[in-house]
Amino acid sequence: MDTRNKGFNTKLVHAGIKDDALGSVVTPIYQTSTFAFRDAQQGANRFAGKEGGYIYTRIGNPTTDALEENVAQLENGFGATAMASGMGAISTVYLALLSSGDHVVSTDSVYGPSRGLMEKHMSRFGVESTYVDTSDLDNLRRAIRANTKLVYVESPSNPAMAVTDLAAAAEIAHAAGALLVVDNTFASPHLQKPLDLGADVSLHSVTKFINGHADVVGGIVVAKTEALHKKIRAMLIILGANMDPHQSYMVSRGLKTLALRVERAEENARQVAPWLEAHPQVAWVRYIGLPSHPQHELAKRQMTGFGSMISFELKGGLEAGRIVMDNVHLAGLAVSLGGVETLISHPASMTHAGMARADRLAAGITDGLVRLSVGIEDLADILADLEQALERVGPAAANPRS
Ligand code: LCS
């Protein structure tokens, strides 16, 4: 079925599915490393690109193709490339699009390793980078240099929840002759379509909302044009960070319910965020659906929902946050996010521990920031769990920082 002109939910369920001779309703797992040629000439033709067909799973596999076609359609890209992990996707994009002497401007509060890879490793190969709060476009404009080739934005960012105006960032990048790459993991394709807003590349850790069941690690990159898609795919093939067919099958399975899961989790988060904000133990809450969020209006404009990621800090700072994390029972104390289960974590000592403290603080990732990925459980149970953990902190008034 041609799903390109169908609605988002229809694409989620049907896009990319490969028909097979037995009438399988979903794309089967082609768990094979290689594909036999009819004869030597066919092998030579496939390698020369004179004939279609599969060669070798690092180069292409039908199960992975099905997922790639689905996500490319969801975000209106020319094509998508699936990787072994979100970091596999990010490293492939950096290596495909950057060369020695190039400069990158990026969001200061990106996922820690995305920044670590750039500052600690791409720098060894002569790539320069500047990290700024891209939610203020003047910072982005000021950071652009003559050799800026890439603007790399994470919006909403992990875990500061900073939102960047993607259409404006695309204009600034393009005027400077640079490409705009967006890490769309926190929004998911259901809530934000960066390519429609002017970005050249959108990427995801599919470990999060796209797979949604905390049972697979993976990544995917969607490119707007054929030229960019080919460049990224060629780098992936040579780098070898490809997604395995079984992994692709699992992700395709999870993806079908993306909209249902994201909407249900957001329904909960829309209740949890104001509940936390009103709680006497809580110093501040960052949730893009709250009017108190500095980019709430922008998020409303460029996204179709607010999602389910909440950052907050207790009046008792890190010490109080630790008490809550140690006493939740329903919420899992674990990194990762975007699954059906509620998870709680502490970025400063976990996902962003590799960042210099001064950079971390400048990016709004305070020592006491606690991150909550709200799941699809019953709201009453999520709130009761948080309430009993917050009770362990003791009365707010007795706290030195309250
Ligand atoms: N981009 C974002 C926004 C992420 O949050 C992550 C992982 C990645 C990329 C990398 O993806 P991966 O290789 O792990 O599939 N974020 C994590 C987090 O916040 N906790 O654990 C992993």
Side-chain angles (χ1 to χ4, degrees):
M1 185 196 341
D2 185 0
T3 47
R4 270 167 299 187
N5 293 320
K6 299 278 194 288
F8 188 84
N9 287 284
T10 306
K11 286 180 182 172
L12 279 176
V13 177
H14 295 285
I17 288 182
K18 308 263 175 226
D19 297 330
D20 80 346
L22 301 176
S24 173
V25 172
V26 295
T27 306
I29 311 173
Y30 288 89
Q31 195 72 50
T32 181
S33 58
T34 196
F35 297 83
F37 308 126
R38 189 184 56 241
D39 52 30
Q41 188 58 51
Q42 185 179 52
N45 286 345
R46 286 190 182 173
F47 267 93
K50 290 182 187 159
E51 187 185 314
Y54 293 97
I55 298 172
Y56 183 60
T57 282
R58 175 159 51 74
I59 300 173
N61 178 286
T63 313
T64 304
D65 269 7
L67 172 66
E68 290 171 339
E69 175 61 22
N70 195 314
V71 178
Q73 286 194 25
L74 294 178
E75 291 203 349
N76 303 314
F78 175 84
T81 309
M83 280 76 166
S85 69
M87 285 312 299
I90 292 163
S91 52
T92 304
V93 166
Y94 286 173
L95 288 168
L97 304 182
L98 292 165
S99 299
S100 177
D102 290 350
H103 175 246
V104 178
V105 184
S106 186
T107 308
D108 55 1
S109 53
V110 282
Y111 174 57
S114 305
R115 182 167 175 171
L117 174 61
M118 183 60 70
E119 289 186 329
K120 297 191 181 110
H121 301 286
M122 296 301 286
S123 60
R124 296 191 287 120
F125 304 97
V127 177
E128 302 173 324
S129 56
T130 307
Y131 283 81
V132 294
D133 175 4
T134 52
S135 68
D136 180 344
L137 293 168
D138 283 337
N139 292 334
L140 173 56
R141 282 187 199 99
R142 272 195 294 270
I144 298 272
R145 299 184 195 159
N147 59 338
T148 303
K149 292 286 159 54
L150 196 72
V151 173
Y152 182 97
V153 168
E154 192 175 296
S155 181
S157 68
N158 177 7
M161 306 303 302
V163 178
T164 298
D165 184 331
L166 298 182
E171 264 181 42
I172 295 167
H174 294 158
L179 297 169
L180 176 66
V181 174
V182 176
D183 184 330
N184 199 28
T185 300
F186 263 43
S188 90
H190 186 39
L191 302 185
Q192 181 165 267
K193 299 189 177 49
L195 304 186
D196 289 355
L197 295 166
D200 302 285
V201 173
S202 166
L203 63 84
H204 298 264
S205 165
V206 307
T207 316
K208 321 300 182 214
F209 292 99
I210 286 185
N211 180 62
H213 293 76
D215 52 6
V216 173
V217 168
I220 202 157
V221 179
V222 189
K224 191 171 195 162
T225 65
E226 181 174 9
L228 273 173
H229 174 65
K230 282 188 166 161
K231 217 170 180 176
I232 291 162
R233 187 148 203 106
M235 180 52 67
L236 188 266
I237 289 170
I238 207 158
L239 201 59
N242 56 288
M243 189 178 273
D244 176 81
H246 188 262
Q247 201 183 355
S248 306
Y249 172 84
M250 295 287 283
V251 178
S252 289
R253 191 176 198 271
L255 179 60
K256 288 179 195 293
T257 55
L258 177 77
L260 297 175
R261 289 184 281 102
V262 165
E263 285 167 20
R264 174 58 198 265
E266 177 173 333
E267 236 175 74
N268 284 341
R270 278 175 182 253
Q271 302 297 319
V272 173
W275 181 88
L276 278 173
E277 201 169 46
H279 197 284
Q281 298 282 9
V282 174
W284 54 261
V285 176
R286 271 274 184 119
Y287 175 60
I288 59 173
L290 284 176
S292 60
H293 188 285
Q295 293 97 39
H296 174 63
E297 290 304 320
L298 169 61
K300 236 193 229 175
R301 266 203 321 276
Q302 77 177 5
M303 299 172 69
T304 49
F306 300 121
S308 48
M309 295 303 300
I310 300 173
S311 289
F312 65 96
E313 182 163 338
L314 297 181
K315 289 179 180 164
L318 175 55
E319 216 179 300
R322 281 221 171 103
I323 295 173
V324 170
M325 288 186 280
D326 287 345
N327 285 286
V328 285
H329 304 303
L330 177 85
L333 175 55
V335 295
S336 205
L337 56 107
V340 290
E341 55 287 290
T342 297
L343 295 180
I344 195 165
S345 69
H346 179 238
S349 66
M350 298 172 186
T351 45
H352 293 70
M355 270 174 94
R357 187 164 181 268
D359 288 343
R360 188 165 50 66
L361 294 177
I365 309 165
T366 55
D367 292 339
L369 185 153
V370 174
R371 191 187 73 184
L372 194 62
S373 174
V374 179
I376 66 167
E377 302 97 335
D378 287 296
L379 175 66
D381 292 332
I382 296 171
L383 293 178
D385 187 40
L386 289 171
E387 177 69 78
Q388 63 80 28
L390 281 160
E391 269 168 22
R392 301 287 196 105
V393 177
N399 218 300
R401 289 184 55 190
S402 61

